[in-house]
Amino acid sequence: MKLSDFDFDLPEDLIATRPAVPRSSARLLVAEQDRLSDARVSDLTQWLRPGDRLVLNDTRVIPARLSGQRHRLSAQGPVAARIEVTLLEPQADGAWTALLKPLKKIKPGEEIVFGADLRAELVAVIDGQVRLQFNLTGEDFDAALSEAGAMPLPPYIAAKRPADAQDKTDYQTVWAKHAGAVAAPTASLHFDAPLLEALADMGVAFTYVTLHVGAGTFLPVKVEDVTTHKMHAEWGQVSQTAAEEISETRAAGHRVIPVGTTALRLIESAARATGAIAPWEGETDIFIYPGFTFRVADALMTNFHLPKSTLMMLVSALMGQERMRQVYAHAVQERYRFFSYGDASLLFP
């Protein structure tokens, strides 16, 4: 398997920079093995059945992008430098790993001021990432971050426009609960209260799991032999309740359908040891590409992904490479909107 096997031509103007309003009005391309159907996310009630279980990632995206200043006293007097930070992951000692630029403008031991209440000391630089120690912790930190931070929009959106106040709503699922992600589980952004109510009324069930999506989700694959690619690790949890609900659905002969690749990767991680879903917690670096044996997921709802990305490999593993080439060719031809704020697909293998 070569990286080029997962490439396709994508017109730049199909990259969405704002979501559909209302959320469930986004387009939905339903792919079965023998047909493609153009629909809307609000039409999900026509494609799902009573007894189906949607698996939803309840991670909450933090406003992880910070802009601050480093102040230094030089021979010429006080000097300042603007510093841009993207938080990555909290550490056990309360520090955060982060991306910081420009790195050459700051040294370990110096402080970055992000606002009246929030500042951080640069503790160390390790392999291009930094460790930051903030002046606040717990709820005080969360409140200050909410005030000073911006949503960490994906690079392909951030290159077109800066994050704004609207993104704090748009780039968050309606069921977001556990803070810790620096990227949204984007297929879930299409759901709103009326759609969830309609699905529940027809007998579709919901199970919540948690995977804190990391910035590594946007890292490009740099090896031509995709089987040698090393995935980034992300923390996730499948609770006892979630595992039991999924097991009961499968035992009853109904379908388990993760919403988003993050939910799919998590439930398949939780089934690796025994071949069946079980409670699970930890770091997963599961890499799903053609040849993978799916043990839990019966279908997948997901957005349209980057060419040559690990997510393109994941959907090809589920549907087959040739079928996904057909699906994406149709999506481009029919001008579906791509990536995080774009439209969705519902894939039935």
Side-chain angles (χ1 to χ4, degrees), residues 226-306:
V226 302
T227 62
T228 64
H229 174 68
K230 174 66 175 170
M231 286 287 286
H232 58 286
E234 296 166 315
W235 182 89
Q237 181 185 57
V238 176
S239 68
Q240 178 80 36
T241 298
E244 288 174 356
E245 290 173 351
I246 292 170
S247 294
E248 289 166 5
T249 295
R250 292 185 63 80
H254 297 303
R255 299 181 299 186
V256 173
I257 304 174
V259 174
T261 57
T262 62
L264 183 147
R265 290 178 65 240
L266 180 57
I267 61 176
E268 293 296 337
S269 295
R272 286 178 100 178
T274 64
I277 189 74
W280 187 89
E281 180 178 341
E283 297 267 336
T284 179
D285 61 357
I286 189 172
F287 181 20
I288 297 176
Y289 55 87
F292 182 86
T293 299
F294 291 87
R295 303 187 184 281
V296 187
D298 296 303
L300 171 67
M301 181 174 169
T302 186
N303 282 20
F304 293 98
H305 302 297
L306 282 163

Side-chain angles (χ1 to χ4, degrees), residues 60-273:
R60 174 175 284 277
V61 183
I62 62 172
R65 192 148 291 158
L66 290 162
S67 181
Q69 286 199 325
R70 182 272 296 147
H71 298 278
R72 181 186 295 165
L73 197 60
S74 72
Q76 290 74 38
V79 292
R82 179 155 293 282
I83 304 293
E84 302 294 331
V85 167
T86 301
L87 300 180
L88 295 179
E89 190 175 2
Q91 302 300 295
D93 62 359
W96 280 79
T97 57
L99 300 175
L100 184 151
K101 61 180 184 180
L103 262 176
K104 62 183 180 181
K105 292 286 188 180
I106 187 167
K107 301 173 183 176
E110 293 187 320
E111 188 176 69
I112 311 165
V113 178
F114 298 108
D117 300 319
L118 189 64
R119 57 188 185 275
E121 178 188 336
L122 176 61
V123 177
V125 180
I126 306 166
D127 296 331
Q129 296 183 4
V130 301
R131 284 174 65 89
L132 296 175
Q133 190 72 55
F134 285 89
N135 63 315
L136 300 173
T137 58
E139 292 183 1
D140 292 336
F141 172 77
D142 293 342
L145 182 65
S146 179
E147 186 69 27
M151 283 310 226
L153 293 183
Y156 40 79
I157 296 178
K160 294 173 178 287
R161 66 167 182 84
D164 57 26
Q166 185 60 42
D167 291 304
K168 290 196 174 182
T169 299
D170 289 345
Y171 201 58
Q172 197 78 269
T173 67
V174 296
W175 54 73
K177 185 176 183 181
H178 301 292
V182 296
T186 54
S188 299
L189 298 178
H190 297 297
F191 287 78
D192 51 25
L195 176 58
L196 291 169
E197 185 177 345
L199 290 169
D201 286 347
M202 67 169 286
V204 171
F206 308 104
T207 287
Y208 295 93
V209 296
T210 307
L211 183 80
H212 291 325
V213 193
T217 192
F218 302 119
L219 291 176
V221 179
K222 296 181 178 179
V223 291
E224 182 58 24
D225 178 359
V226 302
T227 62
T228 64
H229 174 68
K230 174 66 175 170
M231 286 287 286
H232 58 286
E234 296 166 315
W235 182 89
Q237 181 185 57
V238 176
S239 68
Q240 178 80 36
T241 298
E244 288 174 356
E245 290 173 351
I246 292 170
S247 294
E248 289 166 5
T249 295
R250 292 185 63 80
H254 297 303
R255 299 181 299 186
V256 173
I257 304 174
V259 174
T261 57
T262 62
L264 183 147
R265 290 178 65 240
L266 180 57
I267 61 176
E268 293 296 337
S269 295
R272 286 178 100 178

Side-chain angles (χ1 to χ4, degrees), residues 11 13-14 27 330-338 343:
D13 64 342
L14 294 187
R27 297 172 72 192
H330 180 90
V332 170
Q333 179 181 328
E334 296 300 319
R335 300 194 58 79
Y336 278 75
R337 302 186 327 138
F338 273 66
D343 296 316

